[in-house]
Amino acid sequence: SLLNSLSGVAAAIAGFAVNDILLVAVGGIVGASGLFLTQIMCKAMNRSLVNVLLGGFGQTAVVKGGEEEQIVVREVGVEEAAMLFDSASSVIIVPGYGMAVAQAQHIMNELSEQCEKRNIDFRFAIHPVAGRMPGHMNVLLAEANISYDKMVEMDQINDDFANTDLVLVVGANDVVNPAARTNPNSPIYGMPILNADKARTVIVCKRSMGKGYAGIENELFGYPNCLMLFGDAKAFVGNIVKELSGASAAHG
């Protein structure tokens, strides 16, 4: 967002240099909007711009005793994941940059349709810094014809996680890391996060155990209510949709 802003400022300066009022105006708009988005993202991370630019993230968290704790994860298969969806009465999807990379937004629409057939309360929890800039996830989901009323901002949905049967995290990492609430030594401590860990069951769909932008382990992965689904989000969610479709056909 900051680089976009600087490109706008550069365009405006170029407009002055060549005496092009349109270029000055457009550059000014891009520069101002980029700064506005940058401010939104810094606020959502509870960090100042200087802190972010000078390495506020990417540091190793201090571990008591000098030993790094090992996170033990539990994997889940597609069939078991489909069974969890089939038996749930409420589902929240947490999209992240990984969903954008996998281009999985369209299959998410198909998943929502399967859940609606089962009268499941189905929504998307949108964190302000999920993706590359504010609104990134909203645009992708809208592109897949998902209704805007299904996309709920963090402040409006956070209290609902504790009463939710199933949360599916697709390609998100730092925005659901409980260390932001529980570990004062963590670089992301104090950052507002989605309370996905408070749901009854959490399924995290990731390609690997790789770290997010903050460069730290996600404590959620080791929680007893968390199951890991490793692989391409589009393929795995597509397989879950097929399982649910087959189950619907069998019931029909």
Side-chain angles (χ1 to χ4, degrees), residues 113-129:
E113 291 174 353
Q114 288 297 323
C115 288
E116 288 173 359
K117 290 180 181 178
R118 293 165 168 77
N119 296 317
I120 297 173
D121 181 22
F122 187 93
R123 293 175 294 169
F124 292 86
I126 309 298
H127 193 284
V129 297

Side-chain angles (χ1 to χ4, degrees), residues 2-23:
L2 182 62
L3 291 176
N4 285 339
S5 176
L6 294 177
S7 70
V9 173
I13 294 174
F16 281 114
V18 300
N19 197 26
D20 188 331
I21 301 301
L22 179 60
L23 188 57

Side-chain angles (χ1 to χ4, degrees), residues 85-99:
F85 272 94
D86 197 33
S87 61
S89 60
S90 55
V91 171
I92 295 177
I93 307 296
V94 178
Y97 184 66
M99 185 190 77

Side-chain angles (χ1 to χ4, degrees), residues 92 94 125 157-164 167 194-196 198-199:
I92 295 177
V94 178
I157 202 171
N158 248 354
D159 292 338
D160 297 342
F161 280 102
N163 299 316
T164 300
V167 170
L194 292 164
N195 297 331
K198 296 185 178 182

